[in-house]
Amino acid sequence: MSATPHPAALALKLEGVEQRVGAAIHLYPLNLELVPGQLNVLLGATLAGKTSLLRLMAGLDAPTAGRIHEGSRGAWRDVTGLPVRQRDLAMVYQQFINYPSLSVRENIASPLRLRGVAKGELEQRVATIAEQLRLTPFLDRRPAELSGGQQQRTALARALAKDAGLLLLDEPLVNLDYKLREELRAELLQLLRVRNTTVVYATTEPQEALQLGGNVVVMEAGRVVQSGPTLQVFSRPASLAAARAFSDPPLNVLPARFDGTRGIATLANGAANGLASGLSGGLEVALSPAAVAAVRATGVNEFLLALRPHQLHSEPGGCRSLTLQGTVELAEISGSDTYLHVHTAGGDVVAQWRGIHPLSLGSRAHLFLDPREFFGFTCEGAALFAPTAAAGET
Amino acid sequence: MARIELVNVGHAYGGAANAGTETRWALRPMTMTWRDGGAYALLGPSGCGKTTLLNLISGLLTPTQGRILFDGKDITQLGPRERNIAQVFQFPVLYDTMTVFDNLAFPLRNRGWKEAAVRTRVGEVAELLDLAADLKRRARGLPPDAQQKISLGRGLVRTDVAAVLLDEPLTVIDPHLKWLLRRKLKQIHQQLKVSLIYVTHDQVEALTFAEEVVVMNHGEVLQVGTPQALYEAPEHTFVGHFIGSPGMNFLPCKLGANEARMGDVTLPMDAEWLARAAAAGTEHQLGFRPDAAEVLAAPVASTAGAAWQPARVQSFQPMGTHSLLQLGFGGGSVWVRAAAAFQPAGDYVWLRPLPGKLALFADQRLVPRSATEASIAPHASTPEAGAAP
């Protein structure tokens, strides 16, 4: 690490911040607080409002309403609409943005030169950061002479060299192919962990959010639907919207009917249509006492059962007492997993199986379910219950 | 449709004068047969030679050496038109102002088909691509995925093509719609039995689409195999790395008579396998997939044996559906996939690569295990292994 002590990581507080462009609402009023030195992930689909929010945080745009405060060592200042040049922050974009006429070395050095860092220290810091991002052999090249991965490494190196108190990353790896993305994500994570910087990292990919860890802010259509420690939001989503944002391949949602006297749920479509096998009366899901209480408290008998794709197992066993049968529509192979699109009488579902399973179109698939792994939501999308921690192991 | 044979085909841009040195080949000389009606993908990073190979098949390029045969007939010197190849590109290629029907009919009318036959065939292809309802609409107003389906339809409409070549055809498609088009392609292949050759740098595309994948790097074909074979038995370290996420772990190793040594880790291995590996090359690597190892948070009574090794935790990432660990092991760094609930108890965990899933590479090429699974079984059934919870 550099000899110079890091400046303090910044706190950021957004109060009633909203963004409208003409009649279009890009961000509904939101409150958000970022703790200094923490890694924050903005997770949401394209157009969820992630980039709008990052631009407000950076001061690239001013909000339509609301205030943004920045905290440093306990002192707060209002930075609403303050130009980015007067802020202590660095930003990295999806596109590989570098100074085309400058060498990689000068690109990395530019924020240090602006700040008037002495020559010896400047050279040392450029060398260190170039080494960390594996750019040392390319220091004398220009960005156009580099591969996409190296160009984005250069942009990241420049942002890290600045050593700002706030680092904003807007889907920085999205334009790289998957092997480069995998490699750079792991390296970036190591670099960010040892830094005393507040990081905000926007991504559309739940897997990336989980890998980054830290805190997550789940966004959907201009709203913050949930925020909190990443793993906690993943395992206990507060709403169907948060659960969906955190599931790729998509969450499986099955309408269910509650039978309060027996403490079970019946899959609404499936039961009559022979969705279930091995159970003559239809697919009945035994609910835990807590789940029964939660559904009963709503006073409504219709609700939604949801399962993440990895909970539609390829093998029976343990508590997987339910079987779904269907026809394979496609076996997609992603990384080390197979995503199985299955058409069942009760609706289309996606299963995520470990390893490569060469199932041909139209073949029969059996999916084994553990009733303890279901999420429950009201028809309006509020969370009713989540799987217990013990369930869900594969 | 045709069987496609490539016989000692190599290509160097700038011609034979450039072909002398190994590094000048855009495509190193190779021999390969693609069966009639197969679905193949050419997969590799940019600059690997896959587009060169595609252009050699379509006739846009004439190879510097070797012969190309369609159903046994030498077509090496023929141009693209005479080869009867249909192509689908990254971006929709169609006539904006024409209707969907006229776009699909174009390749047939161009070849003098009778109008009644055109109508029947276009109807069939439109039905297959779910375009039947749009036949009277102009192509211009349709969304990108529909436009790309028209391009695909134009490639498939002729019944006499030797093969349909697809060059990154899903580039412009919205991520949420990609799987629908992937399924459409698979259905078409299943129903029409056309020979399809699909070029992509995207593993998901290639492995989802193809019956067999041709993995290329630096102008060389490294392996041709089913997706499962590429994952479970990569023949080259690049294939092991490129397929799967994270890729296969590789550790440089020194070979003994009955064991392989990686840093401070020694794993007993089959003597005959080791001897073949030693004869096959000078640099050796041991490989295993991140899901081909067992991991324990704490030592159990019997972990002192050879099977379990301490490994230093470099990073630990709970991924919701599973956990990923990066571990200092055997003088290098490896990724291991553990259960979602796994939690390291300290700086070290205990690791045991599954003996049956180890791969050995000599100068980056796989050294097959031969049929000697049984000879390593004693290690697999040690008391240590049995003690795993």
Side-chain angles (χ1 to χ4, degrees), chain A residues 177-179 182 189-190 207 210-211 231 234 310 329-333 335-337 341 354 356 358 361 393, chain B residues 179 182-183 187 190 203-204 208 228 231 241-242 244-247 291 317-321 326 337 340-341:
Chain A
D177 81 41
Y178 114 119
K179 269 293 145 180
E182 186 182 289
L189 192 53
Q190 302 285 6
Q207 286 294 303
L210 285 161
Q211 195 160 3
L231 207 54
F234 174 83
H310 75 282
E329 298 218 296
L330 183 65
E332 281 186 293
I333 293 160
S336 305
D337 294 326
H341 298 257
R354 278 178 72 166
I356 310 272
L361 261 66
E393 298 321 308
Chain B
W179 83 269
R182 285 181 194 137
R183 184 181 68 184
Q187 285 172 339
Q190 217 164 51
Q203 288 81 350
V204 179
T208 299
Q228 204 169 13
Y231 185 75
H241 161 78
F242 200 62
S245 180
D291 59 5
Q317 293 156 357
M319 301 289 290
T321 59
Q326 199 175 9
R337 186 165 161 160

Side-chain angles (χ1 to χ4, degrees), chain B residues 141-154:
Chain B
L142 296 171
D145 58 306
Q147 293 198 355
Q148 193 61 326
K149 279 204 285 189
I150 301 170
S151 297
L152 193 58
R154 286 164 54 93

